[in-house]
Amino acid sequence: MPTYIYEAIDASGATVTGTLNAADERAALTAVRELGLHPMSARPGAERAAGDGVDTDRKRRGRKVGLADLTLFTRQLANLVRGGLPMMATLDALVENTENARLHAVLADVRDKVAGGQSVHEAMADHPREFSNLYLSLVEAGEASGDLAAVLERLAGFLEQDLERRAQIRAALAYPILLLSVGTLIVFALVTFLIPRFAVMFSDYGRALPFLTRVVLGVADFMGSYWWVVVLGLAALFGLFRLWHGTPQGRLAWDRSRLRWPVLGRLFERAATARLARTLGTLLRGGVNILDALAMLEGVVDNAYLAEGLRSIRAGVREGESLGRETRASGRFPGLLSQMMLVGEQTGDVEGALSTVADAFDVEVSNSLKGLVALLEPSIILVMGSVVGVVIYAILIPIFQMNQVAG
């Protein structure tokens, strides 16, 4: 069995670390509890970084609380609460063991306010940059239901899935971006350094240069003399786009058009729907009211066109209409979503139906992204290779002709 490194709190409130063998992370956490400790985290031994072993005086770093920081904190909070550690002791332990400087300050403030009599969600609400409305609503629902541990477990799982999905997208796009960057640098070097040298040599050619050569030399001369015009023009276009996109009408038109792009439009729609379904399912399972949950989704989908559809759905649900029928009537979401909602309403398990939809669309998005990247990589190589080939060919034509004349 693999070895896991655990970090836990003992009966005196001190932080302890150690190693044990377990089948998976859940089994490792269970084994730590059997030792009479309150586990904070358990990770495979291969992930242990140099300098592990908790040092409460270690240097804190980071000025921003990223998704990875929030996810780790939420998982540790869920583990400690589920282990039965009192909330003040839990917050003390998390403050001491948080490396991100900004999150450390936020948690210290939350701890002090909880000690002063506020609830956890009330203390967190004073830090909207770190804790979203979705996060706060789930914590509030968990406190109200008396089952905060279970709600935190679901919230941690939701954040971990979101973090994993983003990591997959970054990993998939890393190589195409590298190819595009290298290709752009090569073309820039050819236009900036190589072609101008041949232009000097061709000035004594004594005859009209081939058309392709004149075009390449003209482009290089223009870029060399007026590159700043190109940069300013692109900056102006980008600025105008940002101004237009900043208006409600512009944002709505742009987000609607994105969903209609060839190939990418379906990918955007499926990704947004998967996130919407998983978020709504998490909120409902956590005890959040359906109307409040729908209101929160408007900021989650990050698409004004879909958010407008959610507002109409919420209005219908407020009047007593079916969630599934209102979703279908909006005409802005895939049919599978409304169909599964209707099934969930009939069986009394809307949360499970939404989870099924989210899993299905996550798989579709992952497979589509892999296929797109597999197509994108050779396309970038082909385009960049063609550009470089045309430039080199345009330079070699007059050189061959000069050699023939000299011969």
Side-chain angles (χ1 to χ4, degrees), residues 222 225-235:
F222 177 82
S225 302
Y226 301 103
W227 60 268
W228 55 273
V229 176
V230 176
V231 172
L232 288 178
L234 293 175

Side-chain angles (χ1 to χ4, degrees), residues 227-264:
W227 60 268
W228 55 273
V229 176
V230 176
V231 172
L232 288 178
L234 293 175
L237 287 176
F238 180 73
L240 290 174
F241 171 78
R242 289 296 300 270
L243 288 174
W244 173 73
H245 187 264
T247 64
Q249 298 82 359
R251 174 75 184 276
L252 182 63
W254 173 255
D255 286 345
R256 183 193 297 117
S257 69
R258 283 200 306 157
L259 300 177
R260 297 174 181 173
W261 290 355
V263 183
L264 290 178

Side-chain angles (χ1 to χ4, degrees), residues 11-77:
S12 65
T15 304
V16 296
T17 59
T19 61
L20 50 78
N21 295 325
D24 52 31
E25 181 181 353
R26 183 173 295 274
L29 294 173
T30 301
V32 173
R33 291 192 191 92
E34 292 175 353
L35 296 176
L37 302 172
H38 300 282
M40 294 177 60
S41 63
R43 60 189 186 279
E47 294 183 5
R48 182 169 186 169
D52 257 351
V54 177
D55 175 8
T56 56
D57 293 326
R58 60 192 167 189
K59 182 178 179 181
R60 305 190 190 280
R61 58 187 181 276
R63 291 175 294 177
K64 180 182 179 182
V65 180
L67 179 60
D69 298 309
L70 185 63
T71 301
L72 177 61
F73 157 72
T74 306
R75 172 56 64 190
Q76 292 177 337
L77 178 61

Side-chain angles (χ1 to χ4, degrees), residues 176-189:
I177 291 175
L178 176 63
L179 285 178
L180 187 61
S181 300
V182 172
T184 302
L185 287 175
I186 291 175
V187 172
F188 177 79

Side-chain angles (χ1 to χ4, degrees), residues 377-389:
E377 290 175 4
S379 299
I380 293 175
I381 294 175
L382 180 62
V383 170
M384 290 301 176
S386 299
V387 171
V388 173

Side-chain angles (χ1 to χ4, degrees), residues 22 27-28 53 56 97-98 109 112 128 167 199 207 239 245 248 317 324 345 361 378 405:
T56 56
N97 292 278
T98 298
D109 182 66
D112 294 341
R207 56 187 297 184
H245 187 264
V317 172
E345 288 176 318
F361 282 149
V405 172

Side-chain angles (χ1 to χ4, degrees), residues 73 94 98 126 141 175 325:
F73 157 72
L94 292 174
T98 298
D126 291 333
Y175 186 58
R325 284 195 291 270

Side-chain angles (χ1 to χ4, degrees), residues 362-400:
D362 274 340
V363 171
E364 182 178 343
V365 168
S366 179
N367 292 336
S368 299
L369 188 61
K370 290 178 182 177
L372 183 63
V373 170
L375 180 65
L376 191 59
E377 290 175 4
S379 299
I380 293 175
I381 294 175
L382 180 62
V383 170
M384 290 301 176
S386 299
V387 171
V388 173
V390 167
V391 171
I392 294 177
Y393 179 70
I395 292 174
L396 290 179
I397 292 176
I399 292 178
F400 288 149

